[in-house]
Structure formats: structure tokens, C-alpha cells
Amino acid sequence: MQFTFSEAPSQHKESIENSSGSSMHTRPDPAKMVVIGLHKFYHPSEVVPIEACSLQHDSANTLLQAAAQALALSPTQPQQLSAFNAATQRGLLRQLILRRNSKNQYMVIFFTTSFQPALLEPLVTAVQRCNVEVLSIINTVVPPEGSMKYQHSKKASKLKGSGSKRQQSHVLFGSSTITERLCQLDFQISPESFFQVNSAQAEVLYDLVHKAAGLRPTDTVMDLFCGTGSIGLTLAKDCHHVYGFESTASSVADARRNANVNGISNATFVHGDLTKVAAMMGQQYPSPDVIVTDPARSGMSLELIKYMLQSGARTIVYVSCNPATQARDISQLCAGASARYRLKHVQPCDMFPNTAHIECVAVLEHCDASCNTDAHATTLAK
């Protein structure tokens, strides 16, 4: 999970005499302390300090509490630990990510504005002393002028914005990656790469995608927003070749490494701008029989949708963590004069229990111009 560092007024007690005798009260101290928490619902600029989160494993809460206690012992002075303030563009600590695999092993990532390992030492030591198996501690640096725009839940670990090109990760302890086993495959995941946070349900999700794709041995599969290759590599055994496209270089590097680790030779992963994928397919790469797309919450660009309409792919499997943008994009593919696809079915998958968030797998089948009927448009609108 992802947590944010923030500065909050510290509280200290003072004795105030009143008519009923002496009593203890608290008042804000001019000095501030750094806390760890989550952004307040409907007020994302505010951070609510928390000691534990019921959505994550108890061992993750142990790590969270250890970091919080280390901060409580470190007064914030200019030369010491301080939380980044977006308004003033000052401060060191941005965010904390606790990445856990199915073996209950952790990668701990501290996002900061500069590389100052000596200042992070109290936090690193506190995490290492926990009775939790921490395989990796990473310091990812994003300078103050860099954007820390995260995509909620689905792409929580993926930095975007003006500062992403200058983002650098440093290993403070252990390995530079963490390994997860999924669908009988091993995936090595770097700090900047997205990977599903719920591994058990990810297998359920990928099984839905596999069944929806209806693969044939001769099929060419296009895997859009492929990330570390987790979906494409699970499909590779049942098709001729998988071509994965991703805009994040570290994820493409992970995907290529994961293909090698698992001995998969019929998968190619390409780093580039997905709005320009049309120029590559049919020239550098063969046209797809099946397209699997798994975009961020913002959905797909019009350029990419136009390519999909012209691709002639037999089946499109659209995976999304945001049903609203998914419905918007599907309406472009299935309604209007240029429509070439029919919505076959939609299957939700509860990837995030006890929250309002779900993944949706939508299956679209290719048809000619006659599929654009008033009846189908009405069904789609409903």
C-alpha cells in the first residue's frame, strides 16, 4: 500500500488551573512532527495519520508502525527528517510504499526529494529491526519540481508527470527487485513497475482474461499497457506470439526479464508511446488477432481507440479498474458510424475487498457495419 508523509502540529500537555482545580489540556506546539497517513476522502490535500490499515496484512502494519515510531523520535529541523510540502516545494519525505508478495516478503520504498541516505537511516533501521522479512529497501528520488501524480489503486506505484524522467531509485538494503509467483510463473518486479497488489485475486482476474480471449494456436496477441508482462506471459503458451506495449521503460525491462526467467520465447515487449502504436503494427509487427488492453484509470486515448477500430482484431478484452472510463471507451468502439465491435459481456472481479473499487473484464467481438444497430446502441447505453 501507499502512504503519504505530512507535517502536523505536535501536541504537548500543560497544566491549566480552573475553578474545579488543576487539569491537563493539550495545545499545538510551534514545532511540527512528521506523520504517516492516507489522504482524506474528498480532501486529498489533507493527510490523516494512521497507525494501522485493515486493508493490508498485519505484518505491513508492523512496518508502518515502526516507521511512524522512528519519525516520532526525529524532530523536524531543516537538517533532519521533514515532510515534503507541495506549496513551498520544501521537505525531504514524500511517500512510503509497502509492497508484499504471497510469501509475506516485502519491498519497502521511500520516496524523497533528494538522495540523503544518512537522514533515512533511522527509518531504514526501524524497518530492518521488525520481525518481518524485508528483502529490499529502496529510496526513489523525485526532485521537488517533479510531479508525484499517482493513479489511484491500480497504478499506485507508477510515477507520472514532469519529474518522472528524472526519477532515480537507489538500493539501501537487499535486492533491487521483489519476486512474485503468479499463474505458475515467476515475476521480478522493480520499484517503479506496476503489479497487482492482490496476488490471489490477480490469478482469478487473469483466468477471466484467458477465457475471454478465446485463443487459437495461430493467434497474434497485442498486450496494451502490458506493465511487467503479467497478462501477456500467462497467455503466451496458448498463442503464436504476444507483443506487449508499455510506456514505462522499467516495466518493459521487467517484462523482458520475466520472459527470460520463465523460458518464454514467443513474447516481445516494446517501450514506446501507445498513441503511436498504429504506426508500428502491420509494419514492424504483425496485425493482432486478439487485443488485450489494461489501461490506467484515465482509460485510453482517442488515437488508440481509432487504431483498435481499424485493427480488425477478432476479439478485444478490455480490463479496467475504472468502469466509468471503460464504459466511455467501449461506447467509442461499439456505437456510432465507425463502430466495428459488439459488447459480448462484462464480468466484474473484486480485486479490492472491503472497498468500493473493482476490476472489470469486458469482451468485445468484431463484426461488420451491421452490428451498429439501434438495439445494440440502446443495450450499450443501459
Side-chain angles (χ1 to χ4, degrees):
M1 283 192 65
Q2 171 190 318
F3 302 92
T4 300
F5 293 101
S6 179
E7 289 187 356
S10 61
Q11 304 286 322
H12 73 273
K13 292 183 177 181
E14 61 179 8
S15 178
I16 299 178
E17 192 76 25
N18 57 30
S19 57
S20 59
S22 180
S23 62
M24 300 300 292
H25 297 271
T26 61
R27 66 178 176 83
D29 192 291
K32 290 186 176 182
M33 62 182 294
V34 178
V35 297
I36 310 177
L38 297 172
H39 289 282
K40 192 173 184 180
F41 196 52
Y42 290 130
H43 297 280
S45 62
E46 298 181 32
V47 174
V48 180
I50 65 168
E51 295 181 353
C53 177
S54 299
L55 294 178
Q56 66 181 6
H57 196 273
D58 288 343
S59 55
N61 286 325
T62 299
L63 295 172
L64 179 65
Q65 290 161 11
Q69 289 168 6
L71 287 172
L73 298 174
S74 301
T76 59
Q77 300 298 329
Q79 72 277 17
Q80 296 177 316
L81 291 175
S82 58
F84 177 68
N85 185 311
T88 64
Q89 292 288 296
R90 294 181 179 179
L92 177 68
L93 301 171
R94 285 184 178 268
Q95 293 181 323
L96 167 69
I97 287 180
L98 303 175
R99 175 170 272 175
R100 173 180 175 269
N101 66 15
S102 54
K103 292 183 178 180
N104 203 31
Q105 300 167 325
Y106 283 87
M107 171 183 280
V108 178
I109 310 170
F110 294 102
F111 284 91
T112 63
T113 55
S114 61
F115 183 53
Q116 300 188 54
L119 294 184
L120 288 180
E121 189 173 343
L123 291 169
V124 173
T125 300
V127 166
Q128 288 177 311
R129 287 178 177 173
C130 291
N131 188 26
V132 176
E133 189 174 4
V134 177
L135 299 181
S136 173
I137 302 178
I138 305 291
N139 178 199
T140 297
V141 176
V142 183
E145 64 272 21
S147 169
M148 281 287 287
K149 182 181 179 182
Y150 277 86
Q151 295 159 350
H152 176 68
S153 185
K154 184 178 180 93
K155 306 290 185 191
S157 63
K158 186 175 179 180
L159 275 166
K160 297 192 75 178
S162 60
S164 59
K165 290 183 179 179
R166 299 209 295 146
Q167 172 187 340
Q168 293 184 336
S169 291
H170 307 268
V171 178
L172 302 181
F173 167 79
S175 172
S176 61
T177 62
I178 187 171
T179 300
E180 179 62 292
R181 187 160 181 82
L182 199 66
C183 301
Q184 301 182 330
L185 298 175
D186 292 320
F187 294 93
Q188 294 181 5
I189 311 157
S190 61
E192 300 90 352
S193 298
F194 165 73
F195 201 82
Q196 293 287 354
V197 297
N198 187 337
S199 298
Q201 275 298 93
E203 291 201 340
V204 175
L205 175 67
Y206 293 172
D207 184 58
L208 290 172
V209 173
H210 187 275
K211 291 177 180 176
L215 295 176
R216 303 169 185 172
T218 57
D219 279 346
T220 294
V221 176
M222 172 187 277
D223 182 11
L224 298 174
F225 308 93
C226 66
T228 58
S230 54
I231 291 181
L233 292 175
T234 60
L235 300 177
K237 66 181 184 298
D238 293 314
C239 69
H240 175 65
H241 204 98
V242 173
Y243 292 92
F245 295 85
E246 170 63 47
S247 60
T248 304
S250 62
S251 294
V252 173
D254 285 349
R256 292 169 178 168
R257 182 171 58 246
N258 290 330
N260 291 331
V261 166
N262 292 284
I264 297 173
S265 59
N266 63 327
T268 301
F269 295 98
V270 182
H271 173 231
D273 184 351
L274 270 69
T275 63
K276 300 177 181 177
V277 72
M280 294 183 282
M281 299 305 291
Q283 298 180 23
Q284 295 174 261
Y285 307 101
S287 297
D289 301 293
V290 175
I291 296 176
V292 177
T293 182
D294 184 13
R297 292 184 62 80
S298 56
M300 298 190 297
S301 66
L302 285 175
E303 291 87 349
L304 192 54
I305 291 173
K306 288 178 182 177
Y307 164 73
M308 294 169 73
L309 284 168
Q310 298 166 4
S311 69
R314 182 179 72 250
T315 302
I316 295 175
V317 182
Y318 190 149
V319 184
S320 176
C321 62
N322 187 350
T325 54
Q326 183 185 41
R328 178 202 67 198
D329 293 345
I330 290 175
S331 69
Q332 298 286 329
L333 293 164
C334 297
S338 61
R340 291 294 180 272
Y341 287 90
R342 186 193 311 276
L343 180 62
K344 191 174 181 181
H345 69 260
V346 177
Q347 174 62 58
C349 180
D350 191 4
M351 288 290 293
F352 316 103
N354 300 312
T355 76
H357 302 285
I358 60 169
E359 292 272 340
C360 266
V361 179
V363 185
L364 287 69
E365 59 182 7
H366 188 266
C367 55
D368 57 25
S370 64
C371 73
N372 182 30
T373 62
D374 291 339
H376 181 249
T378 302
T379 301
L380 183 63
K382 290 181 179 179

